[in-house]
Amino acid sequence: MRVSYPTVKHYILVAILFVFPIMQKASALEPMATAPRCVSRPTPMFDSSPEQELIAFAKKLLGVKYRYGASSPSNGFDCSGFVHYVFKRFGVALPRSSSAMGQAGEDVSLTQAKAGDIILFTGTNPARRSIGHVGIVLSNSMEGGLRFIHASSGKAQAVTETTLEGSYKKRFMKVVRVTPS
């Protein structure tokens, strides 16, 4: 059987995102051994965290045109289609709609938001306080503020990077984390 490189990379990322954290939690529950054990630690396979791998992949899609209801690079993306596509690539199952994504994962405060978290906004009518837009947090720092990547139906009409300011700050609803911390 021949296995492609993207398939192998996918399984490695799934293991890093889901299996290793479970193994670490399980080993933390074991009683302390009085004699030293010879345990080999897995060596890191990537120079960056799984979240940074996800961000790097999402950034490869910058400039893909916005298209309502679409969820692929060849046809374009709407906001939830983009987020769904990126996370699916890394084995994270998400609902397809932005409002349903707001119910996925664990709520995180804006100050605790980190790369790989999902950021949710109202739709284009900020007076209507229900989730209608979604993106992925790229970074969150005191110096640069919060930056996110999303498929925008606004001026860009494409996948773009944006800072949390202006109308997006007014439309902000919440942040959810769907990857293990």
Side-chain angles (χ1 to χ4, degrees):
M1 180 171 90
R2 192 175 178 137
V3 179
S4 69
Y5 176 75
T7 302
V8 171
K9 188 173 180 181
H10 169 79
Y11 286 115
I12 291 170
L13 287 171
V14 168
I16 290 170
L17 286 172
F18 298 104
V19 177
F20 291 142
I22 292 169
M23 289 172 41
Q24 289 173 342
K25 287 178 184 174
S27 68
L29 299 175
E30 293 177 6
M32 294 287 287
T34 52
R37 296 186 299 170
C38 187
V39 177
S40 64
R41 295 264 179 211
T43 44
M45 296 180 182
F46 300 103
D47 293 333
S48 60
S49 70
E51 291 84 5
Q52 291 304 319
E53 295 283 329
L54 184 135
I55 295 304
F57 176 73
K59 284 186 171 188
K60 289 179 183 177
L61 301 168
L62 283 167
V64 172
K65 293 296 180 197
Y66 178 88
R67 183 170 178 204
Y68 181 78
S71 59
S72 73
S74 58
N75 293 327
F77 291 111
D78 66 6
C79 64
S80 59
F82 169 71
V83 172
H84 185 265
Y85 179 84
V86 170
F87 278 90
K88 183 178 179 182
R89 171 71 186 263
F90 291 90
V92 178
L94 287 176
R96 176 59 178 84
S97 72
S98 58
S99 59
M101 285 180 192
Q103 304 305 312
E106 172 189 341
D107 289 5
V108 177
S109 71
L110 188 57
T111 57
Q112 297 299 312
K114 66 176 190 164
D117 288 343
I118 296 174
I119 187 165
L120 298 126
F121 304 90
T122 65
T124 53
N125 180 356
R128 189 166 172 215
R129 297 299 296 171
S130 60
I131 295 171
H133 187 65
V134 62
I136 303 170
V137 175
L138 293 173
S139 62
N140 190 12
S141 67
M142 292 294 286
E143 308 82 43
L146 189 140
R147 293 190 58 77
F148 62 99
I149 187 169
H150 61 122
S152 173
S153 63
K155 191 183 340 180
Q157 288 286 306
V159 174
T160 187
E161 290 184 31
T162 306
T163 56
L164 183 61
E165 58 188 21
S167 68
Y168 284 107
K169 195 166 192 170
K170 291 175 189 168
R171 293 170 50 197
F172 171 77
M173 295 285 291
K174 68 180 188 172
V175 175
V176 294
R177 183 163 297 151
V178 295
T179 58
S181 297

